[in-house]
Amino acid sequence: MPVISTPLEFNEDDLYVDLEGIFGQSLFLKCEGFNFAGSIKLKAATEMVEIAEREGRLSPDSVLVESSSGNLGVALSMIAASRGYRFLCVTDSRCNLATRMMMEALGSQVHVISEPDPVGGFLGARIDHVRALCASDDRHVWLNQYANPGNALAHYRRTAPDIARQFPDLDVLFVGAGTTGTLMGCARYFREWHRPVRIVAVDSEGSVTFGGAPGRRMIPGLGTSRRPPLLDESYVDDVVRVAEADTVRSCHRLARHGFLFGGSTGTVVTGAMAWLARQEEQELTGVAIAPDLGERYLETIYQTNWVQDLYGETVLDSQTLTTSSQAA
């Protein structure tokens, strides 16, 4: 029986779902949502805060500040509450209401950006706001998840070794691309591993992470409106871009089998299935990372009116996915 005194002490790392019975394709889904922050972002948040503490950047008067579409904000809210810091999250209007309420329940401040920057989109506007806050008060400490090496280090040290231990014959790993911290940490680990593992990045259509024109993105989590500083494409073997309508379909398909996952998971699963469908090899051992669970998306992805208003009234009539795999 686990007995803990701080929320950081619990994180279930070794839970996987076999998706073959749902999608007809062999794939193991690593579930990262079973901790008190509810997502994989707890690992990166913990690593970045601990590095800042070791470097002496944090004091009792410090106010942690971060730009986040949601999950990292919740993780930092939890850590701040646990360790006695104050935290201010800068998010935007696409952030789920439940996520904003969770941060506030944990004692954090939330600033919501309602207008995107003409060039940098919502992300650019959020970062500009963070910089203005830091310039106005030197108590503000910006961890900067987009460029902080601790973001990737957390997954190099924890996520990737956990997968390697459970799947010593791993052939391919599918990772969603947001800040690319998870992607880079896992890719660097498996580049050094004893056998080759293909790394497939899964991105949202409309994201500029791997090039291309920016487009509308309504589901928070994956994709960016500017290239992440952490990204090194030399570690990525393939990229799959996923239409948001397919993300919604995959989430609902999983839910119909009793698995309620978040939008990022729906995107990663869709991309993985599209990539696997075009492979000639048989019996590939594949793992995909599910960053979070679905409760925070009940008013968006799992709300019929929201879905139909954005993607059309017939979006859920068919479970056929339109996303196809493409090389980087």
Side-chain angles (χ1 to χ4, degrees), residues 47 50 54 152-162 185 189:
E47 191 74 36
E50 290 181 349
R54 289 196 299 270
L153 180 62
H155 305 290
Y156 179 90
R157 295 176 56 188
R158 291 193 56 186
T159 308
D162 288 339
Y189 180 89

Coordinates of all heavy atoms in Angstrom, one line a residue, residues 47 50 54 152-162 185 189:
E47 N 11.4 18.3 -13.2 CA 12.9 18.4 -13.6 C 13.2 19.9 -13.7 O 14.3 20.3 -13.2 CB 13.1 17.7 -14.9 CG 14.6 17.6 -15.3 CD 15.3 16.5 -14.5 OE1 14.7 15.5 -14.2 OE2 16.5 16.8 -14.2
E50 N 13.4 21.6 -10.2 CA 14.5 21.1 -9.4 C 15.8 21.7 -9.9 O 16.7 22.0 -9.1 CB 14.5 19.6 -9.3 CG 13.4 19.0 -8.5 CD 13.4 17.5 -8.4 OE1 14.1 16.9 -9.2 OE2 12.6 17.0 -7.6
R54 N 18.4 24.1 -7.8 CA 19.8 23.8 -7.6 C 20.6 25.0 -8.1 O 21.7 25.2 -7.5 CB 20.2 22.5 -8.4 CG 19.6 21.2 -7.8 CD 20.3 20.0 -8.4 NE 20.2 19.9 -9.9 CZ 19.2 19.2 -10.4 NH1 18.2 18.6 -9.7 NH2 19.1 19.1 -11.7
A152 N 13.5 18.1 -21.9 CA 13.9 16.9 -22.6 C 14.6 15.9 -21.6 O 14.4 14.7 -21.7 CB 14.8 17.2 -23.8
L153 N 15.4 16.4 -20.7 CA 16.1 15.6 -19.8 C 15.2 14.7 -19.0 O 15.6 13.5 -18.7 CB 17.0 16.5 -18.9 CG 17.9 15.7 -17.9 CD1 18.9 14.8 -18.6 CD2 18.6 16.7 -17.0
A154 N 14.1 15.2 -18.6 CA 13.1 14.4 -17.8 C 12.7 13.1 -18.5 O 12.6 12.1 -17.9 CB 11.9 15.2 -17.5
H155 N 12.6 13.2 -19.8 CA 12.1 12.0 -20.6 C 13.3 11.1 -21.0 O 13.2 9.9 -21.2 CB 11.3 12.5 -21.8 CG 10.2 13.4 -21.4 ND1 9.1 12.9 -20.7 CD2 10.0 14.7 -21.5 CE1 8.3 13.9 -20.5 NE2 8.8 15.0 -20.9
Y156 N 14.5 11.7 -21.1 CA 15.7 10.9 -21.3 C 16.0 10.1 -20.1 O 16.4 8.9 -20.2 CB 16.9 11.9 -21.6 CG 18.2 11.2 -21.8 CD1 18.6 10.8 -23.1 CD2 19.1 11.0 -20.7 CE1 19.8 10.2 -23.3 CE2 20.3 10.4 -20.9 CZ 20.7 10.0 -22.2 OH 21.9 9.3 -22.4
R157 N 15.8 10.7 -18.9 CA 16.1 10.0 -17.7 C 15.0 9.0 -17.2 O 15.2 8.1 -16.5 CB 16.3 11.0 -16.6 CG 17.6 11.9 -16.8 CD 17.7 12.9 -15.7 NE 17.7 12.3 -14.4 CZ 17.7 13.0 -13.2 NH1 17.6 14.3 -13.3 NH2 17.7 12.4 -12.1
R158 N 13.7 9.3 -17.6 CA 12.6 8.5 -17.0 C 11.7 7.8 -18.1 O 11.6 6.6 -18.1 CB 11.7 9.4 -16.1 CG 12.4 9.9 -14.9 CD 11.4 10.5 -13.9 NE 10.3 9.6 -13.6 CZ 9.3 9.9 -12.9 NH1 9.2 11.1 -12.4 NH2 8.3 9.0 -12.6
T159 N 11.1 8.6 -19.0 CA 10.1 8.0 -19.9 C 10.7 7.0 -20.8 O 10.2 5.9 -20.9 CB 9.5 9.2 -20.7 OG1 9.0 10.2 -19.8 CG2 8.3 8.6 -21.5
A160 N 11.8 7.3 -21.5 CA 12.4 6.4 -22.4 C 13.0 5.1 -21.7 O 12.7 4.0 -22.2 CB 13.5 7.1 -23.2
P161 N 13.7 5.3 -20.6 CA 14.1 4.0 -19.9 C 13.0 3.1 -19.5 O 13.1 1.9 -19.5 CB 14.9 4.6 -18.8 CG 15.4 5.9 -19.2 CD 14.3 6.5 -20.0
D162 N 11.9 3.8 -19.1 CA 10.7 3.0 -18.7 C 10.2 2.1 -19.8 O 9.9 0.9 -19.7 CB 9.6 3.9 -18.2 CG 9.9 4.5 -16.8 OD1 10.7 3.9 -16.1 OD2 9.3 5.5 -16.5
G185 N 13.8 14.0 -25.7 CA 14.4 13.2 -24.6 C 14.4 11.7 -25.0 O 15.4 11.0 -24.8
Y189 N 17.6 9.2 -26.1 CA 17.9 7.9 -25.4 C 18.0 6.8 -26.3 O 18.9 5.9 -26.3 CB 16.8 7.7 -24.4 CG 17.0 6.4 -23.6 CD1 17.7 6.5 -22.4 CD2 16.4 5.2 -24.0 CE1 17.9 5.3 -21.6 CE2 16.6 4.1 -23.3 CZ 17.3 4.1 -22.1 OH 17.5 2.9 -21.4

